[in-house]
Amino acid sequence: MDENQNPWAVRRASLLDLARSAAGGGAPLRGVNAYDAEAARNFRPSAVLLLFTPPERGTEPDLFLVQRSRELRHHPGEIALPGGRLEPGEDAVTAALRETHEEIGVHPDHVDVLGELPPILVPVTRYVVTPVLGWTDRADEATHVEPGEVLHTIRVSVGTLTDPERRRTVRIFGRRTHGFLLPDGLVWGMTANLLDHVLAELGWAQEWDATREVVMRRGDDGRVWEPDL
């Protein structure tokens, strides 16, 4: 089908262009999650998958996120991209596809890997993360969640992510991160910083009011960070 007949196909082409640009170096993410080669030597390697798919409704593609279990040791209850730590012998793409299959059910054979983005760091948990861009036409497979790891799968439209009314600045420990206030909850921290960077690099981002802040606080269980809305 012609790109003019599939509006989201234009977006897919932009994703592929971004992946090609990243292969040549690409613009690095800045701020708290910026990559530092010296620090990364002592960090554990991991990968996440930015998995896009044709929309359930509208013209913008959808992106898959997951809400992590509140019982996990690291980042409990947070909304994140599917992914995780590399197992011995794995590269970033293999790990991102495996974790996505385990967490949301989409088989690696049904993901078109567009490319990798420059690595970023998560200093608080000492991970170096390689983001992988992917596309699937088999969104129907995303019905599975990994017991003990994922509460549920979230499918969000790019149009929602770029809506200025959804954007927030998130304050925690005196630091600030980007934020996306979705119907399913607040995306903040590394995931939000990465999404903000990717949307800007793709030219999809819209201007928004960065003075609209959300402060994070500990929940009643003392483990999960929750927005004070």
Side-chain angles (χ1 to χ4, degrees), residues 28-218:
L29 186 149
R30 302 187 184 280
V32 67
N33 298 120
Y35 181 74
D36 179 271
E38 184 62 29
R41 293 173 57 188
N42 299 312
F43 282 25
R44 295 164 292 182
S46 64
V48 295
L49 184 64
L50 292 97
L51 183 60
F52 294 86
T53 191
E56 284 188 301
R57 58 185 65 88
T59 60
E60 297 284 5
D62 293 339
L63 173 72
F64 286 108
L65 299 167
V66 296
Q67 183 163 25
R68 295 166 57 84
S69 168
R70 297 175 69 93
E71 306 305 317
L72 291 175
R73 179 181 178 185
H74 297 306
H75 307 290
E78 292 182 19
I79 296 176
L81 293 158
R85 189 172 179 176
L86 271 65
E87 293 185 350
E90 284 188 326
D91 59 19
V93 170
T94 303
L97 294 177
R98 173 183 53 78
E99 288 282 350
T100 298
H101 185 210
E102 292 174 359
E103 292 181 2
I104 69 174
V106 177
H107 195 278
D109 290 347
H110 297 152
V111 176
D112 183 6
V113 175
L114 306 178
E116 299 179 19
L117 300 181
I120 59 178
L121 300 185
V122 187
V124 67
T125 49
R126 301 180 65 82
Y127 277 104
V128 53
V129 181
T130 299
V132 178
L133 288 176
W135 184 275
T136 184
D137 291 319
R138 292 298 306 273
D140 58 296
E141 293 185 349
T143 58
H144 168 81
V145 296
E146 183 71 8
E149 291 191 21
V150 176
L151 290 177
H152 61 104
T153 299
I154 299 169
R155 182 172 172 176
V156 59
S157 169
V158 165
T160 298
L161 293 173
T162 58
D163 181 354
E165 293 301 311
R166 298 285 185 180
R167 298 303 308 272
R168 298 291 188 276
T169 295
V170 178
R171 186 149 51 90
I172 181 172
F173 285 142
R175 296 181 177 178
R176 287 171 171 79
T177 81
H178 291 288
F180 297 81
L181 189 57
L182 306 182
D184 296 277
L186 181 70
V187 185
W188 60 284
M190 183 277 286
T191 300
N193 288 341
L194 176 59
L195 290 178
D196 173 84
H197 176 71
V198 169
L199 292 172
E201 287 300 300
L202 288 164
W204 300 353
Q206 300 182 46
E207 292 188 10
W208 57 283
D209 183 1
T211 66
R212 301 176 70 179
E213 286 194 347
V214 173
V215 178
M216 302 300 291
R217 60 176 178 79
R218 290 285 191 184

